Amino acid sequence: MAQRKGAKPPAPPAKRRRALRSHAWFGKLDRDGLAHRSWMKNQGLPHHLFDGRPVIGICNTWSELTPCNAHFRDLAEHVKRGVYEMGGFPLEFPVMSLGETLMRPTTMLFRNLASMDVEESIRANPLDGVVLLTGCDKTTPSLMMGAASCDLPTLVVSGGPMLNGHFRGELIGSGTHVWKFTDMLKTGELKPEDLPEVEAGMSRSAGSCMTMGTASTMASMAEALGMALPTNAAIPAADSRRRTLSHMAGRRIVEMVREDLRMSKVLTKQAFENAIMANAAIGGSTNAVVHLLALAGRMGIKLSLDDWDRIGRIVPCLVNLMPSGKYLMEHFYYAGGLPVVLREIGPLLYKKALTVNGRTIWDNVKDAKCWDRDVIFPLDKPFKKLGGVAVLRGNLAPNGAVLKPSAATNSLMKHRGRAVVFKDIDDYKKRVDDPSLDIDATCVMVLQNCGPRGYPGFPEVGNMSLPLKLLKQGVKDMVRISDARMSGTAYGTVVLHVAPEAAAGGPLALVRDGDMIELDVKNRRLHLDVSDAELEKRRRKWKAPKPHDERGWVRLYCETVQQADTGCDLDFLVGASGAPVPRESH
Ligand code: FES
């Protein structure tokens, strides 16, 4: 609509109403206010939108290079409908998008960079509240971390999982079957010419990985933390109810601004403990450990690896989803989704934790009904007794390492074996399938220099594929140890996140071929059976690897990244600065 001649400049907010942050931009009747409003009007925005109503940022990780988030422009439109309906003013903005399948060397190298983009974009702009559109693995933690450091009213909308994968009559899961098919390609059970059919059958619709991988885990974490509306985690991306949820999120964020319901009121220590319990109950990704530690660090909440072990230990795995079980996210949604899981663990939950809809977590889930007990099991008859994340310590991991019991092999949870060491990922790739490699099924595969600094970026290579000659013998699992992460879609008896990492001089760097290693998950022990004197001798000879880059982001990252046991945030990003209105630009 054309600007009416003689229209009044925007009125300052009514006296009784709290002046919103955006008023410092759009409410000024001077040169700066003129500039702020005028340039925005080139988008056809009518004058009345600048009247002091809540301005809602829609923080969008849409990108064609992030296929899991490629449908987000549509979701943003539905958020806008809700915002307009409630008298808000929506403004969508892009931030760095992290596509798990294409980015090299690993998206985790850029999680903190994206969080900086989010934080500074929010603080620098006239925003009163924010909706975070998140999907592919790192897009959820990076957006939540950045927003947490600003602490405005914030609500997460996840993009939702893809429809179930199918291939020749079999249910196949994103990621989980990539690992299976990789081994089958090696053994000849699958032919290269089968790949196009596999690829299309696995990724059938918009959305993120439909296993309980990292994306689904982090969407569940957002819901369990109280940062997303109920049912956010599981509605498939292709289901129209995902759009409805986005619409309702748009309505709710406007109310949240009016209620001044900031992130810090939702993200309490109890909310984090609820999320850790939920992660155990869903058989969630080990990646949630580093992401929640980092998020807690932004909120100034003391959360440690010991919290993960203490809380996760008492919660069994209730959800029969790949990679721990057999079903997929579509089944999970039809069975009732995360609200049912939260209701099941109700006796353990902090019921009064506040959520973004203004209700407590318990109010949200107490009436949830389960529609399929083969997908979501009851607490007294769990799917697997061991849920959660086991935190291991010992002379091989003084600051801790993690293992996901629900995805491991029972018979390997207590194991002593001879180390076969790969000094880095290139060494592993070069030698793993060499028929002369001295290895058998009882050995322990050790991978060094794949941690935050070593790779650099802390990639998902910890679930090393087994040597071809052992696969051909029918070996399905072996103990593997590294300072890397693994995909949330992966499985196996895999010890990850060893801290300190090898490249930082951790004991992992000192392991040699033939050393004996003891893993005892029940007693949370990871021991390198080598004398202290011998380790000291090796340490004196150890040389730190050369730095990866002399300039730019990688240099800053390597110089300031923290270790896995504290969440791998950059040391100077820990904490929050809030969102005070910065000074004018002209
Ligand atoms: Fe994007 Fe799995 S690759 S969610």
Side-chain angles (χ1 to χ4, degrees), residues 40-256:
M40 290 299 282
K41 287 178 180 176
N42 79 351
Q43 301 176 80
L45 297 167
H47 188 67
H48 68 265
L49 289 178
F50 303 93
D51 63 358
R53 66 187 64 204
V55 179
I56 305 300
I58 302 173
C59 181
N60 201 340
T61 47
W62 168 85
S63 167
E64 288 179 344
L65 292 168
T66 307
C68 311
N69 299 15
H71 58 301
F72 280 17
R73 279 170 147 178
D74 179 48
L75 289 188
E77 290 307 315
H78 287 271
V79 175
K80 286 179 194 173
R81 289 184 193 181
V83 172
Y84 278 126
E85 246 177 36
M86 294 301 284
F89 177 9
L91 291 169
E92 183 185 348
F93 64 99
V95 288
M96 185 180 193
S97 188
L98 305 176
E100 200 63 34
T101 50
L102 298 182
M103 288 188 90
R104 297 182 183 187
T106 167
T107 49
M108 188 62 180
L109 178 62
F110 307 109
R111 183 199 66 180
N112 301 332
L113 179 61
S115 82
M116 291 169 83
D117 179 2
V118 172
E119 177 179 348
E120 302 306 335
S121 295
I122 291 173
R123 189 177 298 117
N125 280 297
L127 303 177
D128 302 309
V130 190
V131 173
L132 307 175
L133 295 187
T134 71
C136 199
D137 296 13
K138 308 301 177 298
T139 58
T140 305
S142 59
L143 266 58
M144 288 179 74
M145 287 162 66
S149 289
C150 293
D151 195 24
L152 292 178
T154 303
L155 195 158
V156 174
V157 174
S158 303
M162 288 187 262
L163 297 176
N164 291 344
H166 291 277
F167 175 64
R168 296 181 182 169
E170 193 189 343
L171 200 59
I172 60 171
S174 330
T176 302
H177 275 79
V178 170
W179 318 122
K180 289 198 170 133
F181 289 143
T182 305
D183 289 346
M184 287 167 70
L185 270 174
K186 273 187 174 188
T187 56
E189 294 165 81
L190 191 74
K191 304 272 178 275
E193 52 270 29
D194 295 329
L195 289 183
E197 200 186 335
V198 167
E199 292 155 13
M202 184 149 47
S203 307
R204 298 170 47 230
S205 78
S208 49
C209 291
M210 84 311 257
T211 42
M212 188 50 85
T214 303
S216 298
T217 298
M218 290 311 296
S220 301
M221 293 297 91
E223 189 173 331
L225 283 164
M227 285 298 303
L229 296 178
T231 72
N232 170 72
I235 304 173
D239 192 311
S240 53
R241 286 166 284 190
R242 178 62 60 185
R243 291 172 170 153
T244 310
L245 181 97
S246 306
H247 187 127
M248 300 311 286
R251 287 177 61 91
R252 179 60 197 153
I253 187 68
V254 178
E255 292 175 341
M256 285 174 69

Side-chain angles (χ1 to χ4, degrees), residues 193-356:
E193 52 270 29
D194 295 329
L195 289 183
E197 200 186 335
V198 167
E199 292 155 13
M202 184 149 47
S203 307
R204 298 170 47 230
S205 78
S208 49
C209 291
M210 84 311 257
T211 42
M212 188 50 85
T214 303
S216 298
T217 298
M218 290 311 296
S220 301
M221 293 297 91
E223 189 173 331
L225 283 164
M227 285 298 303
L229 296 178
T231 72
N232 170 72
I235 304 173
D239 192 311
S240 53
R241 286 166 284 190
R242 178 62 60 185
R243 291 172 170 153
T244 310
L245 181 97
S246 306
H247 187 127
M248 300 311 286
R251 287 177 61 91
R252 179 60 197 153
I253 187 68
V254 178
E255 292 175 341
M256 285 174 69
V257 170
R258 294 190 174 128
E259 294 163 11
D260 198 27
L261 180 51
R262 292 163 184 269
M263 237 172 140
S264 53
K265 293 180 184 167
V266 175
L267 288 185
T268 58
K269 177 80 188 259
Q270 295 190 336
F272 279 96
E273 297 205 2
N274 282 344
I276 293 173
M277 289 182 226
N279 187 65
I282 61 175
S285 164
T286 46
N287 288 323
V289 177
V290 276
H291 298 326
L292 261 57
L293 288 174
L295 180 61
R298 296 295 182 103
M299 300 304 302
I301 289 171
K302 286 200 183 321
L303 194 72
S304 70
L305 273 184
D306 291 334
D307 288 322
W308 277 91
D309 197 72
R310 175 180 58 82
I311 300 162
R313 214 185 257 253
I314 56 172
V315 185
C317 177
L318 306 183
V319 174
N320 183 6
L321 249 62
M322 293 181 203
S324 301
K326 65 177 179 186
Y327 293 111
L328 294 167
M329 287 299 286
E330 239 190 295
H331 301 113
F332 186 44
Y333 179 53
Y334 304 146
L338 195 71
V340 174
V341 175
L342 295 174
R343 197 210 60 209
E344 284 296 337
I345 61 172
L348 308 167
L349 218 54
Y350 289 106
K351 293 183 173 148
K352 289 188 176 159
L354 184 63
T355 74
V356 285

Side-chain angles (χ1 to χ4, degrees), residues 36 49 72 82 137 152 166 245 255 366 375 392 402 413 423 553-554 577-578:
H36 295 317
L49 289 178
F72 280 17
D137 296 13
L152 292 178
H166 291 277
L245 181 97
E255 292 175 341
K366 65 180 190 304
V375 177
L392 310 164
V402 303
M413 302 273 243
K423 70 179 184 330
W553 169 250
V554 175
S577 306

